[in-house]
PDB file of all heavy atoms in Angstrom:
ATOM      1  N   GLY T 232      51.188 -42.959 -49.531  1.00  0.00           N
ATOM      2  CA  GLY T 232      52.288 -42.697 -50.455  1.00  0.00           C
ATOM      3  C   GLY T 232      52.033 -43.279 -51.831  1.00  0.00           C
ATOM      4  O   GLY T 232      52.306 -42.641 -52.855  1.00  0.00           O
ATOM      5  N   LEU T 233      51.481 -44.497 -51.881  1.00  0.00           N
ATOM      6  CA  LEU T 233      51.236 -45.142 -53.164  1.00  0.00           C
ATOM      7  C   LEU T 233      50.126 -44.459 -53.956  1.00  0.00           C
ATOM      8  O   LEU T 233      50.206 -44.322 -55.175  1.00  0.00           O
ATOM      9  CB  LEU T 233      50.879 -46.617 -52.934  1.00  0.00           C
ATOM     10  CG  LEU T 233      52.012 -47.516 -52.425  1.00  0.00           C
ATOM     11  CD1 LEU T 233      51.473 -48.886 -52.040  1.00  0.00           C
ATOM     12  CD2 LEU T 233      53.104 -47.656 -53.487  1.00  0.00           C
ATOM     13  N   ILE T 234      49.064 -44.025 -53.271  1.00  0.00           N
ATOM     14  CA  ILE T 234      47.947 -43.398 -53.967  1.00  0.00           C
ATOM     15  C   ILE T 234      48.263 -41.963 -54.373  1.00  0.00           C
ATOM     16  O   ILE T 234      47.977 -41.534 -55.493  1.00  0.00           O
ATOM     17  CB  ILE T 234      46.670 -43.438 -53.089  1.00  0.00           C
ATOM     18  CG1 ILE T 234      46.178 -44.888 -52.952  1.00  0.00           C
ATOM     19  CG2 ILE T 234      45.565 -42.565 -53.688  1.00  0.00           C
ATOM     20  CD1 ILE T 234      44.938 -45.036 -52.095  1.00  0.00           C
ATOM     21  N   GLU T 235      48.868 -41.204 -53.472  1.00  0.00           N
ATOM     22  CA  GLU T 235      49.104 -39.783 -53.738  1.00  0.00           C
ATOM     23  C   GLU T 235      50.398 -39.517 -54.502  1.00  0.00           C
ATOM     24  O   GLU T 235      50.605 -38.409 -54.992  1.00  0.00           O
ATOM     25  CB  GLU T 235      49.139 -39.013 -52.413  1.00  0.00           C
ATOM     26  CG  GLU T 235      47.834 -39.038 -51.638  1.00  0.00           C
ATOM     27  CD  GLU T 235      46.740 -38.236 -52.329  1.00  0.00           C
ATOM     28  OE1 GLU T 235      47.075 -37.335 -53.123  1.00  0.00           O
ATOM     29  OE2 GLU T 235      45.554 -38.512 -52.069  1.00  0.00           O
ATOM     30  N   GLY T 236      51.261 -40.532 -54.605  1.00  0.00           N
ATOM     31  CA  GLY T 236      52.545 -40.312 -55.266  1.00  0.00           C
ATOM     32  C   GLY T 236      52.416 -39.875 -56.705  1.00  0.00           C
ATOM     33  O   GLY T 236      53.193 -39.049 -57.205  1.00  0.00           O
ATOM     34  N   GLY T 237      51.394 -40.402 -57.409  1.00  0.00           N
ATOM     35  CA  GLY T 237      51.233 -40.046 -58.803  1.00  0.00           C
ATOM     36  C   GLY T 237      50.871 -38.595 -59.025  1.00  0.00           C
ATOM     37  O   GLY T 237      51.286 -37.978 -60.008  1.00  0.00           O
ATOM     38  N   SER T 238      50.092 -38.017 -58.110  1.00  0.00           N
ATOM     39  CA  SER T 238      49.657 -36.628 -58.285  1.00  0.00           C
ATOM     40  C   SER T 238      50.616 -35.634 -57.635  1.00  0.00           C
ATOM     41  O   SER T 238      50.824 -34.534 -58.150  1.00  0.00           O
ATOM     42  CB  SER T 238      48.248 -36.448 -57.694  1.00  0.00           C
ATOM     43  OG  SER T 238      48.227 -36.782 -56.315  1.00  0.00           O
ATOM     44  N   ARG T 239      51.204 -35.993 -56.518  1.00  0.00           N
ATOM     45  CA  ARG T 239      52.096 -35.080 -55.802  1.00  0.00           C
ATOM     46  C   ARG T 239      53.548 -35.174 -56.266  1.00  0.00           C
ATOM     47  O   ARG T 239      54.347 -34.277 -55.990  1.00  0.00           O
ATOM     48  CB  ARG T 239      52.025 -35.341 -54.294  1.00  0.00           C
ATOM     49  CG  ARG T 239      50.670 -35.036 -53.675  1.00  0.00           C
ATOM     50  CD  ARG T 239      50.675 -35.359 -52.192  1.00  0.00           C
ATOM     51  NE  ARG T 239      49.406 -35.053 -51.557  1.00  0.00           N
ATOM     52  CZ  ARG T 239      49.104 -33.888 -51.000  1.00  0.00           C
ATOM     53  NH1 ARG T 239      50.003 -32.910 -51.001  1.00  0.00           N
ATOM     54  NH2 ARG T 239      47.925 -33.689 -50.450  1.00  0.00           N
ATOM     55  N   GLY T 240      53.890 -36.270 -56.937  1.00  0.00           N
ATOM     56  CA  GLY T 240      55.275 -36.479 -57.341  1.00  0.00           C
ATOM     57  C   GLY T 240      55.952 -37.457 -56.403  1.00  0.00           C
ATOM     58  O   GLY T 240      55.903 -37.288 -55.174  1.00  0.00           O
ATOM     59  N   TRP T 241      56.598 -38.472 -56.989  1.00  0.00           N
ATOM     60  CA  TRP T 241      57.179 -39.539 -56.169  1.00  0.00           C
ATOM     61  C   TRP T 241      58.363 -39.072 -55.331  1.00  0.00           C
ATOM     62  O   TRP T 241      58.721 -39.733 -54.350  1.00  0.00           O
ATOM     63  CB  TRP T 241      57.602 -40.699 -57.058  1.00  0.00           C
ATOM     64  CG  TRP T 241      56.439 -41.361 -57.728  1.00  0.00           C
ATOM     65  CD1 TRP T 241      56.048 -41.228 -59.029  1.00  0.00           C
ATOM     66  CD2 TRP T 241      55.483 -42.240 -57.115  1.00  0.00           C
ATOM     67  NE1 TRP T 241      54.910 -41.976 -59.275  1.00  0.00           N
ATOM     68  CE2 TRP T 241      54.552 -42.614 -58.116  1.00  0.00           C
ATOM     69  CE3 TRP T 241      55.318 -42.760 -55.830  1.00  0.00           C
ATOM     70  CZ2 TRP T 241      53.474 -43.460 -57.869  1.00  0.00           C
ATOM     71  CZ3 TRP T 241      54.259 -43.607 -55.577  1.00  0.00           C
ATOM     72  CH2 TRP T 241      53.353 -43.953 -56.584  1.00  0.00           C
ATOM     73  N   THR T 242      58.945 -37.969 -55.678  1.00  0.00           N
ATOM     74  CA  THR T 242      60.085 -37.460 -54.910  1.00  0.00           C
ATOM     75  C   THR T 242      59.717 -36.267 -54.047  1.00  0.00           C
ATOM     76  O   THR T 242      60.611 -35.638 -53.473  1.00  0.00           O
ATOM     77  CB  THR T 242      61.227 -37.062 -55.865  1.00  0.00           C
ATOM     78  OG1 THR T 242      60.756 -36.068 -56.791  1.00  0.00           O
ATOM     79  CG2 THR T 242      61.733 -38.270 -56.635  1.00  0.00           C
ATOM     80  N   SER T 243      58.425 -35.954 -53.946  1.00  0.00           N
ATOM     81  CA  SER T 243      58.024 -34.822 -53.109  1.00  0.00           C
ATOM     82  C   SER T 243      58.258 -35.153 -51.638  1.00  0.00           C
ATOM     83  O   SER T 243      58.194 -36.327 -51.234  1.00  0.00           O
ATOM     84  CB  SER T 243      56.555 -34.480 -53.340  1.00  0.00           C
ATOM     85  OG  SER T 243      55.727 -35.536 -52.877  1.00  0.00           O
ATOM     86  N   PRO T 244      58.520 -34.155 -50.797  1.00  0.00           N
ATOM     87  CA  PRO T 244      58.782 -34.419 -49.370  1.00  0.00           C
ATOM     88  C   PRO T 244      57.651 -35.162 -48.671  1.00  0.00           C
ATOM     89  O   PRO T 244      57.903 -36.018 -47.809  1.00  0.00           O
ATOM     90  CB  PRO T 244      58.977 -33.010 -48.798  1.00  0.00           C
ATOM     91  CG  PRO T 244      59.417 -32.179 -49.958  1.00  0.00           C
ATOM     92  CD  PRO T 244      58.702 -32.736 -51.148  1.00  0.00           C
ATOM     93  N   VAL T 245      56.404 -34.832 -49.044  1.00  0.00           N
ATOM     94  CA  VAL T 245      55.266 -35.484 -48.388  1.00  0.00           C
ATOM     95  C   VAL T 245      55.255 -36.979 -48.685  1.00  0.00           C
ATOM     96  O   VAL T 245      55.033 -37.811 -47.784  1.00  0.00           O
ATOM     97  CB  VAL T 245      53.946 -34.833 -48.844  1.00  0.00           C
ATOM     98  CG1 VAL T 245      52.754 -35.611 -48.292  1.00  0.00           C
ATOM     99  CG2 VAL T 245      53.879 -33.389 -48.391  1.00  0.00           C
ATOM    100  N   ILE T 246      55.485 -37.346 -49.940  1.00  0.00           N
ATOM    101  CA  ILE T 246      55.447 -38.764 -50.325  1.00  0.00           C
ATOM    102  C   ILE T 246      56.636 -39.522 -49.737  1.00  0.00           C
ATOM    103  O   ILE T 246      56.485 -40.617 -49.190  1.00  0.00           O
ATOM    104  CB  ILE T 246      55.416 -38.894 -51.852  1.00  0.00           C
ATOM    105  CG1 ILE T 246      54.167 -38.211 -52.410  1.00  0.00           C
ATOM    106  CG2 ILE T 246      55.448 -40.352 -52.257  1.00  0.00           C
ATOM    107  CD1 ILE T 246      52.871 -38.705 -51.826  1.00  0.00           C
ATOM    108  N   LEU T 247      57.819 -38.934 -49.834  1.00  0.00           N
ATOM    109  CA  LEU T 247      58.990 -39.579 -49.236  1.00  0.00           C
ATOM    110  C   LEU T 247      58.815 -39.723 -47.728  1.00  0.00           C
ATOM    111  O   LEU T 247      59.203 -40.742 -47.138  1.00  0.00           O
ATOM    112  CB  LEU T 247      60.252 -38.769 -49.557  1.00  0.00           C
ATOM    113  CG  LEU T 247      60.680 -38.728 -51.034  1.00  0.00           C
ATOM    114  CD1 LEU T 247      61.901 -37.833 -51.204  1.00  0.00           C
ATOM    115  CD2 LEU T 247      60.986 -40.144 -51.537  1.00  0.00           C
ATOM    116  N   GLY T 248      58.220 -38.694 -47.112  1.00  0.00           N
ATOM    117  CA  GLY T 248      57.966 -38.760 -45.672  1.00  0.00           C
ATOM    118  C   GLY T 248      56.971 -39.849 -45.317  1.00  0.00           C
ATOM    119  O   GLY T 248      57.127 -40.531 -44.288  1.00  0.00           O
ATOM    120  N   SER T 249      55.948 -40.040 -46.159  1.00  0.00           N
ATOM    121  CA  SER T 249      54.965 -41.083 -45.874  1.00  0.00           C
ATOM    122  C   SER T 249      55.587 -42.469 -45.976  1.00  0.00           C
ATOM    123  O   SER T 249      55.307 -43.357 -45.162  1.00  0.00           O
ATOM    124  CB  SER T 249      53.778 -40.970 -46.835  1.00  0.00           C
ATOM    125  OG  SER T 249      54.148 -41.293 -48.152  1.00  0.00           O
ATOM    126  N   PHE T 250      56.454 -42.671 -46.967  1.00  0.00           N
ATOM    127  CA  PHE T 250      57.131 -43.970 -47.091  1.00  0.00           C
ATOM    128  C   PHE T 250      58.075 -44.209 -45.913  1.00  0.00           C
ATOM    129  O   PHE T 250      58.179 -45.329 -45.394  1.00  0.00           O
ATOM    130  CB  PHE T 250      57.896 -44.044 -48.401  1.00  0.00           C
ATOM    131  CG  PHE T 250      57.020 -44.225 -49.607  1.00  0.00           C
ATOM    132  CD1 PHE T 250      57.253 -43.503 -50.769  1.00  0.00           C
ATOM    133  CD2 PHE T 250      55.964 -45.120 -49.594  1.00  0.00           C
ATOM    134  CE1 PHE T 250      56.445 -43.676 -51.890  1.00  0.00           C
ATOM    135  CE2 PHE T 250      55.145 -45.295 -50.703  1.00  0.00           C
ATOM    136  CZ  PHE T 250      55.399 -44.569 -51.845  1.00  0.00           C
ATOM    137  N   ALA T 251      58.782 -43.158 -45.482  1.00  0.00           N
ATOM    138  CA  ALA T 251      59.679 -43.288 -44.331  1.00  0.00           C
ATOM    139  C   ALA T 251      58.884 -43.594 -43.062  1.00  0.00           C
ATOM    140  O   ALA T 251      59.278 -44.443 -42.247  1.00  0.00           O
ATOM    141  CB  ALA T 251      60.496 -42.009 -44.158  1.00  0.00           C
ATOM    142  N   ALA T 252      57.755 -42.894 -42.895  1.00  0.00           N
ATOM    143  CA  ALA T 252      56.913 -43.139 -41.717  1.00  0.00           C
ATOM    144  C   ALA T 252      56.375 -44.563 -41.726  1.00  0.00           C
ATOM    145  O   ALA T 252      56.317 -45.227 -40.683  1.00  0.00           O
ATOM    146  CB  ALA T 252      55.764 -42.131 -41.692  1.00  0.00           C
ATOM    147  N   ALA T 253      55.971 -45.039 -42.916  1.00  0.00           N
ATOM    148  CA  ALA T 253      55.463 -46.408 -43.014  1.00  0.00           C
ATOM    149  C   ALA T 253      56.528 -47.413 -42.602  1.00  0.00           C
ATOM    150  O   ALA T 253      56.252 -48.376 -41.872  1.00  0.00           O
ATOM    151  CB  ALA T 253      55.000 -46.684 -44.441  1.00  0.00           C
ATOM    152  N   GLN T 254      57.756 -47.174 -43.035  1.00  0.00           N
ATOM    153  CA  GLN T 254      58.847 -48.085 -42.688  1.00  0.00           C
ATOM    154  C   GLN T 254      59.089 -48.113 -41.190  1.00  0.00           C
ATOM    155  O   GLN T 254      59.246 -49.189 -40.586  1.00  0.00           O
ATOM    156  CB  GLN T 254      60.118 -47.660 -43.429  1.00  0.00           C
ATOM    157  CG  GLN T 254      61.266 -48.625 -43.292  1.00  0.00           C
ATOM    158  CD  GLN T 254      62.460 -48.235 -44.160  1.00  0.00           C
ATOM    159  OE1 GLN T 254      62.506 -47.141 -44.702  1.00  0.00           O
ATOM    160  NE2 GLN T 254      63.421 -49.126 -44.285  1.00  0.00           N
ATOM    161  N   VAL T 255      59.100 -46.943 -40.561  1.00  0.00           N
ATOM    162  CA  VAL T 255      59.335 -46.865 -39.122  1.00  0.00           C
ATOM    163  C   VAL T 255      58.184 -47.503 -38.351  1.00  0.00           C
ATOM    164  O   VAL T 255      58.394 -48.281 -37.404  1.00  0.00           O
ATOM    165  CB  VAL T 255      59.524 -45.396 -38.699  1.00  0.00           C
ATOM    166  CG1 VAL T 255      59.563 -45.272 -37.178  1.00  0.00           C
ATOM    167  CG2 VAL T 255      60.799 -44.817 -39.307  1.00  0.00           C
TER     168      VAL T 255
END
């Protein structure tokens, strides 16, 4: 999420999903 967030967009579903998965 931290590396790809800049290119994919910090609010994109993939990045938000990666942060949620990391938390879980």
